[in-house]
Amino acid sequence: MGNVIKISPSILSADFSKLGSEVISLEKAGADYIHIDVMDGHFVPNLTIGPEVIKKLRPLTQKTFDVHLMISPVDNFIKDFANAGADIITFHPEATKDTLNTIELIRKENKKVGISLKPKSKIDLIEKYLDKIDLVLIMSVEPGFGGQEFMPEVLEKTRKVKEIINKKNLSVDIEIDGGINFKNCTLAKQAGANILVSGSTIFKENKGDLKKNIEILRKN
Ligand code: DX5
Ligand code: ZN
C-alpha cells in the first residue's frame, strides 16, 4: 500500500509451452508479483490454467503469486489455489452467493484477499467489505482475454475507490488490470492504482524486452 508502484505481469501473454522459464525471466526482469489469470469457460468465455500448473510453478520463484480467479462458483476452489501456492486470491463478487463467506474462506487459508470489479460492476458490490480485504482489482477490460483495449471510463471508478479507502483510513491496494500500456499507466497511477497488471505490453513491446517494459511501466 502507499505510493510505491508494483508491477504484476500477467502470464496470460507468456509462452505457455515454457511457463516455468517465463516466470523465472519475469523475476529476473524485476517483476514485483506474478499475475495468474484463472478462467473457467463459464464465468468468462475462455479457459486457462488451474491449481496443478500453479503448484508446478511455485518452487521456481519466491515472488508473490497474484491469482485472479475468473471462475464461478468460486468457493470450492479456494483451498486448491491456496494449497497450490497462491499468495493473493482475488475473486469476482458475481462468482459467489456470499461475498463475506468467500472472504472468510480465503482468510482461513492465510492468504491475502482481493475482490475484483468488472468494468460495469458498481462500487456498492465491495464497499462494505473494504475493511476486510487487502486489495481491489479494477478491471479495465471485460475479463476473458489479453490484448484488449483499455476502457478509460474505469478511471473514475478507480478515483472513487481510492477516495473511499482514504476516507476510511484503510490500507487496501488498488490494482488495475487490462489494456495497460506506457501511456495509460500514468492515468491509472494518478487515479489511485498502485499495482499495475500487464500482459501484452510487458511481453510484446520493445521486442519482448521484459526488463525494459517493466521499468517503463513503473516510471511513466
Ligand atoms: C483479462 C485478464 C488480464 C489481462 C491482462 O481477463 O484478467 O490479466 O489478460 O492482459 P493485457 O495487459 O494484455 O490486457
Ligand atoms: Zn487478471
Side-chain angles (χ1 to χ4, degrees):
M1 178 56 209
N3 301 320
V4 184
I5 300 297
K6 288 194 161 75
I7 307 296
S8 189
S10 167
I11 58 169
L12 192 56
S13 298
D15 181 343
F16 272 27
S17 73
K18 48 170 189 168
L19 262 190
S21 60
E22 294 275 61
V23 165
I24 292 167
S25 301
L26 286 171
E27 166 161 359
K28 284 195 186 133
D32 297 291
Y33 294 170
I34 305 294
H35 187 82
I36 304 176
D37 287 305
V38 177
M39 306 185 186
D40 67 351
H42 165 72
F43 185 72
V44 289
N46 194 9
L47 274 170
T48 55
I49 63 175
E52 288 306 319
V53 175
I54 297 176
K55 202 183 286 174
K56 293 288 187 202
L57 296 174
R58 187 64 282 185
L60 304 178
T61 176
Q62 308 254 47
K63 291 284 163 193
T64 296
F65 277 0
D66 170 27
V67 176
H68 178 190
L69 298 180
M70 288 161 272
I71 61 175
S72 169
V74 69
D75 286 357
N76 287 342
F77 286 101
I78 301 287
K79 224 182 172 61
D80 293 334
F81 285 100
N83 290 339
D87 297 294
I88 305 170
I89 299 182
T90 297
F91 67 97
H92 286 257
E94 295 91 347
T96 177
K97 276 193 210 134
D98 183 344
T99 299
L100 188 58
N101 184 57
T102 305
I103 292 171
E104 281 163 1
L105 287 175
I106 300 171
R107 281 271 173 251
K108 228 184 280 168
E109 300 298 327
N110 273 316
K111 304 300 177 183
K112 288 198 168 175
V113 182
I115 307 192
S116 181
L117 291 175
K118 294 193 275 189
K120 291 188 192 79
S121 299
K122 297 271 182 327
I123 297 176
D124 343 339
L125 276 173
I126 58 153
E127 194 164 350
K128 62 178 172 201
Y129 306 110
L130 282 173
D131 62 341
K132 296 178 175 60
I133 65 177
D134 301 288
L135 175 153
V136 176
L137 173 57
I138 308 232
M139 293 297 307
S140 37
V141 299
E142 284 300 334
F145 300 92
Q148 302 181 76
E149 206 170 318
F150 180 79
M151 298 167 75
E153 57 266 40
V154 307
L155 290 169
E156 184 58 38
K157 185 161 64 180
T158 308
R159 275 189 284 275
K160 198 81 219 288
V161 171
K162 178 69 180 166
E163 200 181 299
I164 299 169
I165 289 169
N166 283 346
K167 216 177 271 172
K168 294 186 186 235
N169 214 359
L170 298 169
S171 72
V172 176
D173 289 310
I174 301 181
E175 180 172 38
I176 193 156
D177 182 9
I180 292 291
N181 60 33
F182 297 144
K183 265 194 184 159
N184 60 32
C185 65
T186 317
L187 303 173
K189 291 174 195 175
Q190 284 165 354
N194 67 306
I195 306 173
L196 307 181
V197 175
S198 164
S200 314
T201 294
I202 286 178
F203 281 93
K204 304 214 167 93
E205 289 297 324
N206 294 306
K207 299 192 177 112
D209 186 336
L210 305 175
K211 187 164 193 276
K212 186 170 184 179
N213 295 336
I214 288 172
E215 271 165 19
I216 301 173
L217 285 174
R218 204 190 292 285
K219 286 186 185 133
N220 272 13

